[in-house]
Structures are given as structure tokens and as C-alpha cells.
Amino acid sequence: NHSLTEEVLVNPIYPSTPSESRSIWLGSNNESMDASIYQDLMDVVWIQYMEDLNYSSYVLDEFVNKNISGMEAMASTTSLFTLTSQNVDLLDKIKPRSKFMQYHNTTLDAMINLEGYLWNMAKFYESNRRVYAIQAHENFNESMSSYETASDISAQLKRA
């Protein structure tokens, strides 16, 4: 047993109270996170990534089809931005084992670009300025590229 010093809270299934949150412990003395806990955490992060992408696509569809206003689309997208920002913050605090470092950094890059996509889309819905939509498109493409790379790395890690 080793002493545990830092707690990172993860809410994989949107708990109704903070006490229902799942805790992930990081070791002290610069120890790396246990591999199985790390893999479980990354599975949760990627599930949330896909959910956020799917919902942001739904919001965009509803906006384009004039079923919701720009302000409603902005509010929905801002909520997704907040959730994604929490994942970025969480990933930024984790120290994975060295064998997961490339996977971790690529995942973090995908999340940062998703965060940028959502922020720019929220600004687009708010202002209707094309510059935000153009930047969002670039962030989306970068995020998807990182997602594909992370998927490839994950498959390699599972084979190893």
C-alpha cells in the first residue's frame, strides 16, 4: 500500500449529487496512475467526447433547420463547452504511465480542439459571424484527426 494524496473527481454517469461521484486516486511521490484505472478513465472521457460531438451536431441541425434560435443553440453549446472544459482540466492533471503518454497527449489534443470547436460554435450562434464558424470547422477537423490517431494508438496498446 502506498499513501494516496490527490483525488480527481470524475462524473461518468452524471450523478445527481456530488457524493455519488466516482473518485480516481493518483499516487503520491510522482507515481503514475494505475493502468487499469487510467484505461477506465480514458474510456469515460472518450464516451463523453462522442456524446458531446453527437449532441453538438444535433444542436447544429436544429439551428440550421430553424427549430431553435441562435441564443438557444448558444446556451446548449455553452453547456457542452463547460463539460468538455472539465475533461480538459482533468486530463491536464493526470500523469499517465510512460507507455500511455503519446495516447494521453493525443487525447488531450482532441479534447482541446473539441473545446475550441464548441466555444467557436457558441460564439457563432451568439453573433452569426462567419469567422467563428470557420475557426470551429478547423477545430473540428483537428479534433477528429487527433481522435483517429488516438484510436490507432489505443489499438496498438491493446495489442501490446
Side-chain angles (χ1 to χ4, degrees):
N1 288 329
H2 60 274
S3 65
L4 299 171
T5 57
E6 185 176 353
E7 177 182 8
V8 178
L9 296 178
V10 180
N11 301 310
I13 306 180
Y14 314 107
S16 59
T17 66
S19 64
E20 293 176 26
S21 298
R22 176 175 153 200
S23 297
I24 302 294
W25 294 91
L26 301 177
S28 61
N29 301 323
N30 292 323
E31 294 174 36
S32 294
M33 177 182 276
D34 177 80
S36 66
I37 292 174
Y38 177 76
Q39 289 171 329
D40 289 346
L41 173 63
M42 295 307 281
D43 288 345
V44 169
V45 167
W46 282 115
I47 288 168
Q48 290 175 348
Y49 173 89
M50 295 309 297
E51 290 173 347
D52 292 350
L53 267 182
N54 288 337
Y55 189 67
S56 69
S57 294
Y58 171 77
V59 170
L60 179 58
D61 250 5
E62 290 295 295
F63 177 74
V64 167
N65 292 320
K66 301 191 185 302
N67 294 327
I68 60 174
S69 70
M71 293 314 265
E72 290 168 318
M74 182 194 74
S76 294
T77 304
T78 300
S79 296
L80 294 174
F81 170 81
T82 301
L83 295 170
T84 298
S85 294
Q86 291 174 352
N87 275 342
V88 168
D89 186 51
L90 173 68
L91 289 172
D92 215 21
K93 292 176 182 174
I94 292 172
K95 180 184 177 198
R97 292 184 176 186
S98 60
K99 83 177 209 175
F100 295 114
M101 195 57 74
Q102 183 184 11
Y103 176 63
H104 185 82
N105 290 337
T106 305
T107 299
L108 182 58
D109 188 56
M111 293 296 161
I112 289 169
N113 276 291
L114 176 61
E115 183 181 47
Y117 166 73
L118 295 168
W119 188 86
N120 281 294
M121 287 305 295
K123 291 299 289 177
F124 170 70
Y125 295 135
E126 175 190 45
S127 68
N128 210 27
R129 292 184 56 209
R130 281 184 50 132
V131 66
Y132 293 117
I134 292 167
Q135 184 58 51
H137 180 70
E138 290 176 22
N139 288 122
F140 178 84
N141 288 341
E142 285 295 319
S143 185
M144 292 309 298
S145 176
S146 294
Y147 168 77
E148 291 170 7
T149 302
S151 293
D152 291 344
I153 295 168
S154 178
Q156 291 170 7
L157 288 169
K158 288 177 182 174
R159 284 192 299 267

